[in-house]
Amino acid sequence: MKFLATLLLAASTLSASAQVSFGNAHKFNEDWQFSLGDDSLVFKKQQNVRRLTLPHDWSIEGTASTSLASCQGYLPGGIGWYRKSFTISDTYPLHYIYFEGVYCRSTVYLNGIKLGHRPNGFASFMYDMTPYLKDGENELMVKVDHSQQADSRWYTGSGIYRDVWMVGAGKTHFSQWGLGWKAMNITKSSATVEVEMQVDGAKEAKGNLKLVATLVDASGNRVATTTRAYNAKADKQNVQLKVSKPQLWDLDTPYLYTLYTQLLEDGKEIDKASCRVGLRTLQFDANTGFALNGRNMKVKGVCLHHDAGALGSVVPKDVWRRRLENLKEMGANGIRMSHNPQAPDLYDLCDELGLLVMDEASDEWEFPKRKWVEGWNQGKPAYQGTFDFFEEWIDRDVADMVRRDRNHPCVFLWSIGNEVDYPNDPYSHPVLDGNNAAINQPMFGGYKKDAPNAERIGKIAKRLSAVVRSIDPSRPVTGALAGVVMSNQTEYPEAIDVVGYNYTENRYDEDHRLYPNRIIYGSETGVGFGNWKDVRDKKHIFGQFIWTGTDYLGESGRWPSRGLGTGLLDFGSFKKPRGWFRASLWSEAPICYIGTYSVGQQNGRRGGRQTPVSAEALDTWNYRDGQIIRVVCYTNSPQARLLLNGKEVGEIKPYDDSNGIIYWDIPFEKGTLTCEGLDKDGKAQSQYSITTSGRPYKIVAMVDKEELTVEGSVAHITVQVKDENDVLVRLADNEITCRVQGGGRLLGLENSDNSDMGSHRDNRERVRNGQLLAYVQSAGRGGDIHVVFSSPLLEDADVVIKGRK
C-alpha cells in the first residue's frame, strides 16, 4: 500500500498536466504582457502594453464592425505580441514550454532566439528551451499573426487562447505524448491493457532503465502492475496489464481506471505520468451500424465549435461542463469536434460524462474554400485560409492530434477532414455537369475543367489515413463528405473506414445498395425531424451529428449578426425550443414542453398560408383575449392533453410521427397553461406549464455554485426578470447592470441575442426573452464574492458566493 500511496500522491500533482505525459508541468499563465500591433519593440517603450493572465483572446475584446468579415462574426484579427519574463528556480536539467493552442501562425522566441513557428492555430505544440536559457532573468516572446482575419469559415479568436505550461524534466524522460494504451480481449471475466511507452534520452542514461505500469480502479485499488527493462535502442516498447472482471466505460456508466507509469534508472524514479483508461469495445458494421461494448445503438451527436459567445475562444472548463451536461440531459451522446482539435479539458469532460467524440483534423486541405465576408452566402467571398501551409504541416498536424488525444476513451472516430469535397469549392469533376438531381448541395455552376480535379482528394485521403493508422489502428478513420456524389468518383470513400455524409440523407439507401460494405452515418445533418427519422428507421445508418449543439460566433448572416443560430442551446447554453424538441426525440427520460404562437385566423390560415407546425415555439402565454393561438407540444409520451387553469382545453391527442409534434389551436385566456404527457393508459408521465406574466417587477438571480474555492473556477448566474407573482416575463428587455465585489471578476454577460453587436464583456446588458447569463470567475485575491444585479424600476437581486480564504 505504501507503493500505491506514493503513486497516488505523485499522480495528484500531475492530474492537471497528464496530457503532456512527462516531467513536472505547471501552468505558465500568470504575468504576461500583451500589445496589439506588429511591433516587438513596444515592450521596451512600454506603450500600448498591458498585463494579463492567459488564456487570452483579443478578437472578442474588439469592436464589431461592418468593415470586418462576417465569417469571424465581424470581429477583428490582426497581429499581437506576448511577453513574459521569468527565472528558473528548480534544478531540472531540461525545460520545455508547451502551448495548448495559439491562434494563429505563432512564432516563439526565447531571449531573442527563435524556438519555432506553428501556423495551425488549433494544434498543441512544445519547444525545448534548455539550450537558450540563461542564469537569472529570461524573456519569452510570442508573435501571433492573425492578419489574415478571414481565414476560417467560423470564429476562431486571436491570441494564446488556451493554457501554457512550463515542463521541467530529467535528461531521460518519457516522450511528449509518448504514452499510449489500448484495451484488448475484453470479456466479462478479463481484459488486457497494452501500454506503449516511448522515452527520450534513453541512450544518455548511465544506469539500467525499467518501465513500470500500474492500473488503479476508481476506488484507488491497484488492479494490475508490471515491470520490464527498457531497450534504449528501441523506438518504443509495449507492456501488457491483465485486468480481472473489468468495469466497462459506457455512456451511462463511464467507468475510468487510472494508469500510472514510471521510468526507473537503477531502481530510482526519474520520470512519471498518469492518464485515465476506459475499457470499451467499438464495432462498426455496414448493415447493423455501431455497437459500444457489444450493444447496438444510435449515435445522437451534435457538432460543436470552440467558442462560448461572450467569452470568445477562451472557454473555462466549468463552462464546457455545463454545456455538455445540458446536451447530455436532452439525450445527446456524441460530440463532433468541428472542425479541429479542441482544448484538452473538453476531452477530459467527455471521458467523465460518457460522450462519444469524433475528433477532427481540419476544414481545409491544399486549396482555399470560400470565406463569406458580407454575410453567409452573400456577396463576394474571400479566399484566405490555411491552405498555404497544408503540404508542409498537415501530416504532422494529423499525427499530433492522434498522439495527443489517443488516451481518451471517449474518442471513437478520427476524422481527417470536413467538406474538403464540397462541389466546386474548390474541387470539380465531370459528374457535376448537367442537372444531377442526386446532388443536393449548391454546385456554383457545373463542371469546371480549370478547377482542381476531385481525384486529388482520394490521394490525400489515403495519405492522411495512413498517418492515423500508423499511430492508432484501434479506431476507424472517417471523413465528413459534403459532395458524396462527386467523391464516389474518387478513392476518398475507400481510403477511410467509416464514411460520413453531410446533408446527404437522400443517398443513404442508394449508396448502401451500390456499396454494400460501406459504413455510413450522418457526419453533419439538419435539425429536422426527417433528418432524425432517416437515422432512427434505417438499421444501416448508425447515427447523426446535428449542426449544431449550441449557437456559435462567426459564419454570420448579414449585419447585424454575431454568429449562426442553429444550436439546440443558445449562446448562453440555455435550451432553445428546438433543444426541447430534440430532447423529445432523443431523451429516455419523460419529456414534455409547450410553446405557442399566433394562428391569426380561426381557420388556421395566416395571409392565405397554412400556419406551420413549428419546432421553434417559445414558451410564452401573453396574447390578446380571444386570439387564436397554436399550442405545440414536444413530448416522447404516446399522447398528451392540454389544460388551462385546471380545465381541459385540448383533448387527448396521440403522438404524431409525421412531424413529432402534437398541437392544438385554442382561444387565448389569461392564466396557467399546462400540457401533460400521458402514457398509453392516460396516466401523466410529465408536464410543462407556462403562465401569463404581468409587467417586469424584479430581478431574480440563481447561481449554479455556492462556492468558488479553486482559483479560475466559474459560476453561472442565471438572471431573470419576473413580475410581482414571480412569473418569468418573456417579453422583458430591461437593461441589467452587474457589480462584482470581493474575490471574483465578471467575465461577461450573455443575453444570447444574435443581433446584439455591442460588447458582452462589460457590466451592462439587456435581457432577451426575459433572461441572461452572468459568468463570474474566482480571482487571485480570494474572499467571498458578492454579485449585485440592478435595473431602473426593478427590485435588485444579489448573490453571495463563498470564495477562497
Side-chain angles (χ1 to χ4, degrees):
M1 290 300 294
K2 182 179 179 180
F3 174 66
L4 179 56
T6 302
L7 276 176
L8 291 173
L9 179 61
S12 68
T13 65
L14 291 173
S15 60
S17 57
Q19 193 234 12
V20 184
S21 80
F22 77 96
N24 183 5
H26 63 273
K27 285 186 178 179
F28 206 57
N29 291 338
E30 302 291 330
D31 297 323
W32 286 77
Q33 293 178 302
F34 171 72
S35 177
L36 186 59
D38 190 12
D39 182 5
S40 62
L41 298 178
V42 71
F43 296 110
K44 295 185 182 297
K45 304 172 186 175
Q46 283 299 304
Q47 296 173 347
N48 301 316
V49 173
R50 63 187 174 105
R51 293 189 177 274
L52 51 76
T53 297
L54 301 179
H56 172 240
D57 171 9
W58 79 67
S59 289
I60 199 65
E61 298 174 344
T63 301
S65 169
T66 55
S67 65
L68 298 172
S70 61
C71 59
Q72 288 289 311
Y74 300 98
L75 289 166
I79 296 175
W81 283 86
Y82 295 86
R83 176 186 181 274
K84 181 179 173 72
S85 297
F86 66 98
T87 57
I88 299 293
S89 57
D90 60 55
T91 59
Y92 289 104
L94 303 180
H95 290 87
Y96 301 84
I97 190 74
Y98 178 72
F99 295 87
E100 289 186 0
V102 183
Y103 204 91
C104 59
R105 301 176 188 264
S106 64
T107 308
V108 180
Y109 302 87
L110 177 63
N111 298 323
I113 300 170
K114 179 180 174 180
L115 295 181
H117 172 69
R118 194 63 181 253
N120 188 331
F122 300 110
S124 298
F125 56 93
M126 184 180 74
Y127 299 123
D128 183 358
M129 299 191 297
T130 309
Y132 315 109
L133 287 169
K134 301 186 299 187
D135 292 334
E137 189 172 81
N138 292 271
E139 180 186 71
L140 192 68
M141 294 184 66
V142 182
K143 179 182 180 181
V144 184
D145 186 351
H146 193 196
S147 54
Q148 295 187 45
Q149 60 140 1
D151 62 346
S152 171
R153 297 192 294 156
W154 63 93
Y155 178 84
T156 59
S158 304
I160 307 177
Y161 67 101
R162 297 180 190 160
D163 288 326
V164 180
W165 301 83
M166 171 78 80
V167 186
K171 291 185 178 180
T172 303
H173 57 81
F174 289 122
S175 305
Q176 179 190 1
W177 307 323
L179 299 173
W181 63 266
K182 62 180 178 181
M184 306 182 299
N185 307 318
I186 299 176
T187 67
K188 289 184 178 180
S189 59
S190 66
T192 300
V193 177
E194 184 172 84
V195 183
E196 176 186 293
M197 298 188 232
Q198 188 173 10
V199 175
D200 285 351
K203 294 180 181 179
E204 298 181 22
K206 297 179 180 180
N208 295 319
L209 297 179
K210 287 186 177 180
L211 303 172
V212 182
T214 303
L215 194 68
V216 174
D217 67 17
S219 300
N221 302 309
R222 184 166 58 188
V223 172
T225 189
T226 188
T227 303
R228 67 166 294 176
Y230 186 82
N231 180 2
K233 296 180 180 180
D235 177 54
K236 55 190 174 185
Q237 289 179 238
N238 296 341
V239 301
Q240 291 188 346
L241 298 168
K242 302 294 184 181
V243 182
S244 298
K245 297 181 180 178
Q247 300 288 320
L248 299 186
W249 184 93
D250 212 328
L251 302 181
D252 296 326
T253 55
Y255 192 92
L256 293 170
Y257 295 86
T258 304
L259 173 66
Y260 299 107
T261 53
Q262 294 173 290
L263 179 62
L264 308 180
E265 183 177 10
D266 290 339
K268 180 182 178 181
E269 181 185 270
I270 59 173
D271 201 7
K272 59 185 179 292
S274 67
C275 69
R276 291 185 295 192
V277 170
L279 306 180
R280 78 285 184 271
T281 63
L282 309 173
Q283 295 169 296
F284 295 84
D285 186 271
N287 296 310
T288 60
F290 169 68
L292 177 64
N293 300 325
R295 179 172 63 92
N296 277 89
M297 64 174 60
K298 298 294 186 180
V299 175
K300 306 168 183 176
V302 299
C303 302
L304 285 179
H305 278 315
H306 75 157
D307 72 273
L311 304 182
S313 60
V314 179
V315 186
K317 189 173 184 177
D318 289 329
V319 177
W320 273 120
R321 179 182 294 277
R322 175 173 174 267
R323 176 180 294 180
L324 294 179
E325 288 177 343
N326 288 345
L327 288 167
K328 184 155 188 178
E329 183 183 61
M330 67 178 66
N333 61 20
I335 303 295
R336 179 187 179 202
M337 304 301 186
S338 306
H339 302 289
N340 48 264
Q342 300 204 26
D345 282 345
L346 182 51
Y347 300 82
D348 288 339
L349 287 167
C350 290
D351 287 340
E352 296 171 15
L353 297 174
L355 289 163
L356 296 165
V357 166
M358 173 182 168
D359 214 2
E360 194 154 64
S362 64
D363 183 59
E364 189 170 85
W365 283 359
E366 57 178 344
F367 298 104
K369 293 181 177 180
R370 291 173 172 83
K371 311 298 189 308
W372 299 105
V373 295
E374 301 175 48
W376 186 65
N377 281 351
Q378 301 289 330
K380 185 179 179 180
Y383 288 93
Q384 297 174 357
T386 60
F387 60 93
D388 59 317
F389 57 80
F390 172 83
E391 193 60 39
E392 180 182 357
W393 285 97
I394 189 61
D395 292 58
R396 182 173 176 180
D397 285 345
V398 170
D400 283 357
M401 174 188 75
V402 178
R403 284 171 57 81
R404 191 196 75 166
D405 298 339
R406 61 180 169 163
N407 290 332
H408 291 282
C410 62
V411 176
F412 83 128
L413 288 172
W414 300 114
S415 171
I416 57 174
N418 170 64
E419 295 188 349
V420 296
D421 63 333
Y422 204 98
N424 286 323
D425 190 20
Y427 296 95
S428 197
H429 191 277
V431 76
L432 302 179
D433 249 348
N435 264 338
N436 195 328
I439 300 176
N440 62 352
Q441 295 280 38
M443 289 190 292
F444 303 102
Y447 172 52
K448 298 182 178 181
K449 63 180 180 179
D450 295 329
N453 191 303
E455 292 181 3
R456 300 171 65 99
I457 302 172
K459 293 178 173 58
I460 295 172
K462 291 171 70 174
R463 165 183 154 194
L464 298 184
S465 295
V467 171
V468 175
R469 294 182 186 118
S470 70
I471 302 168
D472 178 28
S474 70
R475 301 172 176 97
V477 181
T478 188
L481 279 62
V484 65
V485 173
M486 183 175 74
S487 285
N488 282 342
Q489 309 300 313
T490 76
E491 297 177 285
Y492 188 8
E494 302 307 315
I496 55 182
D497 306 304
V498 177
V499 185
Y501 282 40
N502 282 15
Y503 309 104
T504 324
E505 290 90 343
N506 64 319
R507 299 290 304 185
Y508 284 171
D509 289 339
E510 183 175 357
D511 280 13
H512 181 55
R513 177 179 58 82
L514 293 173
Y515 312 102
N517 294 321
R518 181 179 295 182
I519 302 167
I520 302 173
Y521 70 105
S523 44
E524 188 172 316
T525 77
V527 74
F529 185 50
N531 304 114
W532 169 238
K533 290 176 74 173
D534 283 327
V535 175
R536 184 195 70 182
D537 299 340
K538 298 182 189 298
K539 193 174 182 180
H540 63 285
I541 304 299
F542 72 74
Q544 67 173 171
F545 288 89
I546 288 175
W547 194 262
T548 54
T550 186
D551 292 351
Y552 60 95
L553 298 176
E555 210 161 11
S556 304
R558 284 200 183 276
W559 179 282
S561 174
R562 297 166 65 195
L564 203 59
T566 55
L568 304 178
L569 306 174
D570 63 23
F571 285 120
S573 291
F574 292 115
K575 196 182 304 181
K576 296 163 66 174
R578 62 167 54 189
W580 280 103
F581 180 63
R582 183 57 42 174
S584 74
L585 305 180
W586 280 359
S587 177
E588 295 182 5
I591 294 294
C592 186
Y593 169 91
I594 48 173
T596 68
Y597 49 95
S598 171
V599 171
Q601 302 291 334
Q602 289 195 22
N603 61 6
R605 292 181 178 274
R606 183 191 305 159
R609 295 180 298 170
Q610 187 70 32
T611 301
V613 180
S614 174
E616 308 282 356
L618 191 65
D619 56 347
T620 183
W621 192 236
N622 282 69
Y623 297 94
R624 299 190 308 272
D625 286 342
Q627 186 178 2
I628 302 300
I629 303 301
R630 176 152 295 177
V631 182
V632 290
C633 170
Y634 314 149
T635 184
N636 52 9
S637 295
Q639 50 187 355
R641 68 169 178 167
L642 192 63
L643 307 173
L644 178 59
N645 298 324
K647 298 180 180 180
E648 186 175 287
V649 292
E651 72 280 10
I652 294 176
K653 286 188 175 183
Y655 184 84
D656 186 350
D657 198 49
S658 67
N659 56 29
I661 299 173
I662 302 170
Y663 74 92
W664 303 267
D665 292 339
I666 64 171
F668 173 75
E669 178 185 339
K670 292 180 180 179
T672 298
L673 190 67
T674 301
C675 184
E676 294 180 336
L678 310 174
D679 65 16
K680 59 182 177 61
D681 298 318
K683 182 178 179 181
Q685 295 178 310
S686 58
Q687 71 172 37
Y688 194 95
S689 296
I690 53 179
T691 300
T692 308
S693 64
R695 294 182 179 277
Y697 177 76
K698 63 180 178 180
I699 304 171
V700 175
M702 299 160 285
V703 63
D704 66 339
K705 294 181 180 179
E706 294 182 356
E707 59 181 14
L708 294 177
T709 56
V710 177
E711 185 175 351
S713 58
V714 175
H716 299 82
I717 305 177
T718 301
V719 181
Q720 296 183 330
V721 174
K722 295 192 173 184
D723 67 10
E724 288 185 280
N725 298 313
D726 208 37
V727 175
L728 174 63
V729 184
R730 283 291 191 196
L731 302 179
D733 66 348
N734 304 71
E735 183 178 81
I736 305 293
T737 298
C738 174
R739 300 191 304 276
V740 179
Q741 300 171 335
R745 59 173 172 260
L746 179 67
L747 296 182
L749 296 173
E750 181 55 77
N751 65 358
S752 301
D753 186 349
N754 190 43
S755 64
D756 184 350
M757 305 304 290
S759 172
H760 295 261
R761 300 174 65 83
D762 57 18
N763 71 331
R764 294 175 183 269
E765 197 69 69
R766 287 192 176 276
V767 298
R768 178 175 178 266
N769 295 329
Q771 67 181 7
L772 57 77
L773 182 73
Y775 296 101
V776 175
Q777 186 176 47
S778 60
R781 55 187 176 272
D784 290 348
I785 305 166
H786 188 201
V787 188
V788 179
F789 299 96
S790 61
S791 183
L793 305 179
L794 299 183
E795 287 187 359
D796 293 355
D798 63 274
V799 172
V800 177
I801 307 169
K802 293 181 180 179
R804 297 186 307 121
K805 301 301 182 183

